[in-house]
Amino acid sequence: MTDSIMSKAATMEIPINSNGDTGTLPEDDSLEQAAKLQWSLDEKVGSSRGTRDLQQVMVSGPNLNETSIVSGGYGGTAEGIIPTSSMKGSNMHHSSSSSSMSAEEATRGVAVEKLETMKKWGLNTYKCTKQMISERFGRGSRTVDLELEAQIEVLRDTKRKYENVLRLARALTNHFYNMVQTQHALGDTFADLSQKSPELRDEFGYNAETQKLLCKNGETLLGAINFFVSSINTLVNKTMEDTLMTIKMYENARLEYDAYRSDLEELSLGPRDAVAMARIEAAQQQYQTQKDKYERLRSDVIIKLKFLEENKVKVMHKQLLLFHNAISAYFAGNQQQLEQTLKQFNIKLRPPGADKPSWLEEQ
């Protein structure tokens, strides 16, 4: 009954006078009594509940994560209430999803780039293999520079011969080093026997001196030979090898140039529709790129061959003169000329007492 009275009161229109006071109605007394009755009931029920809620709030404090935002103004429906905890989770989920999408896009871009690179490499390899097979079986044309290829062949032959000189010079150094060590040991043995054999003291003595002198001159000659071997090794395995690496790049560029040239010639003999013209234009651009690369490397090879020849003549003139003078002085027994040869070429001998030549250990 109380609920029906309150609903009736809530639906009644309450007029407002000019001073803002409510006007008196015939049913004001009954409404007031009903309101008082409802208020007293609510007060009795809510007093105990409010006391418990207040104690709970004072003990634990408000939970900010459960704070609600009411949309739609005062008196909005329950559908407009949005918990702040759900908003935070939604923002974090959106941020993480955005970052994951960015990472996926970056990964996809790298994958596409690698795929495009592999595609170009595969196409280039196919064209070059096709050109190489065609040249080998005599069906494809080949760009030939007779003068340059002759110079390249001379360089390769020269390198093979210089490698043989280097191998023999190292063998000579090794054998001569063993001989010098044998002379050194023999001289020590003669000197020891000279002290222990009074009747042969003089004979053992001058043989010991001779072997020690030969050992000293042999170590001087070893210094000259080691310098000769080191210079030849630098010329063969560094200077010539560097030029041959450039030649290898030039030959690869020549093969690519001929492959793209043949491809352009084949396309030029075909139809001339829109698609074919686009392919011809793309092939023309690739052909021009390969042609520029080929001509640039060809120029590099010509320059390196020229400087290599000049350097080879200069180095070998000095090293052959050193080798001749040192060998002649040693076997002529001219110790002064042998030492003068080393001073002329600024060669420093290894420290006394070393077991082996330092250069041989490096080899």
Side-chain angles (χ1 to χ4, degrees):
M1 180 178 179
T2 303
D3 295 335
S4 63
I5 295 173
M6 290 301 295
S7 62
K8 180 179 179 182
T11 56
M12 291 180 64
E13 182 178 356
I14 303 176
I16 306 298
N17 59 16
S18 61
N19 294 326
D21 297 330
T22 58
T24 58
L25 293 174
E27 298 179 1
D28 283 347
D29 294 336
S30 63
L31 292 174
E32 183 178 358
Q33 292 176 1
K36 287 181 179 180
L37 178 60
Q38 181 66 29
W39 180 84
S40 62
L41 292 174
D42 293 340
E43 185 178 14
K44 289 180 181 180
V45 174
S47 60
S48 60
R49 183 184 301 171
T51 303
R52 291 195 301 271
D53 293 341
L54 180 61
Q55 291 176 356
Q56 183 178 0
V57 170
M58 293 180 65
V59 172
S60 61
N63 189 353
L64 296 180
N65 291 331
E66 295 178 356
T67 306
S68 300
I69 299 175
V70 181
S71 62
Y74 178 78
T77 60
E79 287 80 359
I81 300 175
I82 306 174
T84 57
S85 60
S86 64
M87 290 180 61
K88 186 185 297 183
S90 176
N91 291 335
M92 292 177 64
H93 178 70
H94 179 69
S95 175
S96 62
S97 63
S98 299
S99 61
S100 63
M101 288 178 62
S102 300
E104 289 178 0
E105 291 177 356
T107 305
R108 189 180 298 111
V110 172
V112 170
E113 183 179 356
K114 288 184 177 179
L115 183 62
E116 188 66 24
T117 303
M118 288 295 296
K119 182 179 177 182
K120 291 181 180 179
W121 175 83
L123 182 61
N124 183 73
T125 303
Y126 167 74
K127 291 180 181 293
C128 293
T129 304
K130 180 182 176 183
Q131 176 66 24
M132 183 171 56
I133 294 174
S134 299
E135 292 178 3
R136 183 165 298 178
F137 287 96
R139 294 195 300 265
S141 60
R142 178 177 181 271
T143 302
V144 179
D145 189 333
L146 295 177
E147 182 179 358
L148 183 58
E149 291 191 1
Q151 293 178 4
I152 292 173
E153 188 58 33
V154 169
L155 171 61
R156 285 174 173 154
D157 184 63
T158 302
K159 185 174 184 290
R160 286 191 294 267
K161 292 178 179 179
Y162 276 47
E163 286 174 342
N164 190 40
V165 170
L166 180 61
R167 180 181 61 82
L168 294 173
R170 284 175 172 171
L172 175 63
T173 304
N174 187 43
H175 296 324
F176 195 75
Y177 169 77
N178 292 330
M179 187 187 74
V180 170
Q181 294 300 308
T182 303
Q183 288 175 336
H184 188 276
L186 188 59
D188 291 341
T189 302
F190 284 157
D192 182 63
L193 289 173
S194 175
Q195 299 294 328
K196 297 180 180 179
S197 304
E199 67 281 3
L200 296 174
R201 177 178 301 174
D202 295 338
E203 289 80 357
F204 279 125
Y206 60 70
N207 275 281
E209 292 296 328
T210 301
Q211 293 300 319
K212 289 181 180 180
L213 180 62
L214 290 174
C215 183
K216 180 180 179 181
N217 292 342
E219 290 177 349
T220 305
L221 179 61
L222 273 176
I225 298 176
N226 286 336
F227 186 77
F228 173 81
V229 171
S230 176
S231 299
I232 300 300
N233 179 67
T234 301
L235 177 64
V236 172
N237 293 322
K238 291 185 179 180
T239 309
M240 289 184 178
E241 189 63 29
D242 177 72
T243 304
L244 288 173
M245 287 296 295
T246 306
I247 290 173
K248 185 176 181 180
M249 295 171 59
Y250 156 75
E251 291 175 343
N252 292 335
R254 197 278 310 162
L255 182 63
E256 292 178 351
Y257 165 69
D258 283 337
Y260 282 92
R261 177 182 55 80
S262 300
D263 186 48
L264 179 61
E265 291 175 354
E266 290 179 3
L267 290 174
S268 299
L269 297 175
R272 294 302 182 107
D273 55 1
V275 177
M277 291 303 296
R279 291 180 180 178
I280 292 174
E281 183 178 358
Q284 180 68 37
Q285 294 177 355
Q286 293 174 346
Y287 163 77
Q288 188 62 41
T289 301
Q290 296 299 329
K291 182 180 179 182
D292 295 340
K293 179 181 177 181
Y294 163 74
E295 292 180 348
R296 183 180 69 254
L297 286 171
R298 178 178 175 275
S299 177
D300 292 344
V301 169
I302 292 174
I303 293 173
K304 284 198 172 187
L305 285 173
K306 179 182 178 181
F307 281 106
L308 174 62
E309 184 65 23
E310 294 176 356
N311 187 38
K312 183 193 71 174
V313 172
K314 183 178 179 181
V315 169
M316 292 308 298
H317 174 77
K318 176 181 178 180
Q319 295 304 317
L320 290 173
L321 183 62
L322 163 69
F323 191 81
H324 174 269
N325 291 345
I327 292 291
S328 300
Y330 173 80
F331 285 100
N334 192 339
Q335 180 181 359
Q336 183 178 0
Q337 183 181 354
L338 182 60
E339 293 177 353
Q340 185 65 30
T341 300
L342 267 67
K343 291 180 181 180
Q344 178 183 355
F345 293 95
N346 297 321
I347 301 173
K348 295 181 180 180
L349 297 177
R350 63 186 179 89
D355 293 337
K356 290 184 178 181
S358 58
W359 184 87
L360 281 178
E361 294 176 357
E362 293 176 358
Q363 299 305 310

